[in-house]
């Protein structure tokens, strides 16, 4: 068993989740992502953990990682409208507007915002 190298890895899953939230709320997104990444692998059935990880990646400009996480979320939870929106915004931010369009339209439709 590997020995934790930082205090980020110490504690129960609930304690690490609380710690990640503190860093996220403090806008320390990269640090929050460092805590959430192993936690998301540990509890893959927890959508909230994965969404917060994707948001932390997005806000810390780790866009390829955000995209990868959001695609994994949508593979498992295809009706997650916020993940649809985030993936569209992530693709836009990478300069991939054409790819972003379907995700943004789907998110809008799921939120009841139909375009003419």
């Amino acid at each position: 068993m590997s020995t934790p190298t930082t205090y980020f890895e110490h504690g129960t899953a609930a304690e690490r989740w609380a710690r990640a939230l503190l860093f996220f709320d403090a806008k320390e997104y990269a640090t929050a992502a460092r805590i959430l990444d192993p936690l998301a692998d540990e509890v893959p059935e927890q959508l909230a953990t994965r969404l917060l990880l994707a948001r932390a990646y997005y806000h810390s400009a780790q866009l390829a990682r955000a995209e990868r996480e959001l695609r994994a979320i949508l593979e498992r939870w295809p009706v997650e409208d916020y993940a649809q929106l985030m993936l569209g915004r992530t693709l836009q931010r990478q300069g991939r507007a054409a790819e972003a369009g379907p995700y943004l339209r789907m998110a809008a439709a799921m939120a009841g915002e139909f375009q003419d």
Side-chain angles (χ1 to χ4, degrees):
M1 184 162 116
S2 66
T3 305
T5 57
T6 66
Y7 75 93
F8 300 143
E9 300 165 333
H10 289 278
T12 66
E15 290 168 339
R16 287 179 282 143
W17 168 255
R19 189 175 304 123
L21 283 175
L22 288 172
F23 280 103
F24 189 89
D25 290 344
K27 298 184 183 346
E28 293 287 337
Y29 302 116
T31 303
R34 285 180 56 198
I35 298 166
L36 290 164
D37 186 42
L39 187 58
D41 289 340
E42 189 177 316
V43 288
E45 70 283 355
Q46 294 293 321
L47 175 60
T49 304
R50 295 203 164 277
L51 276 174
L52 190 62
L53 175 58
R55 290 177 63 202
Y57 282 148
Y58 178 86
H59 288 300
S60 62
Q62 298 179 63
L63 300 178
R65 288 179 175 170
E67 179 184 351
R68 184 180 62 240
E69 192 61 39
L70 290 163
R71 289 186 187 281
I73 289 168
L74 289 173
E75 186 175 306
R76 188 164 185 171
W77 296 281
V79 296
E80 178 51 51
D81 61 325
Y82 188 66
Q84 296 275 354
L85 176 65
M86 280 190 62
L87 181 54
R89 296 285 185 237
T90 299
L91 293 169
Q92 276 182 331
R93 197 167 165 195
Q94 294 179 68
R96 297 161 56 192
E99 289 179 66
Y103 295 102
L104 296 174
R105 286 191 297 278
M106 180 64 74
M110 293 171 102
E113 301 167 5
F114 300 101
Q115 299 174 349
D116 294 330

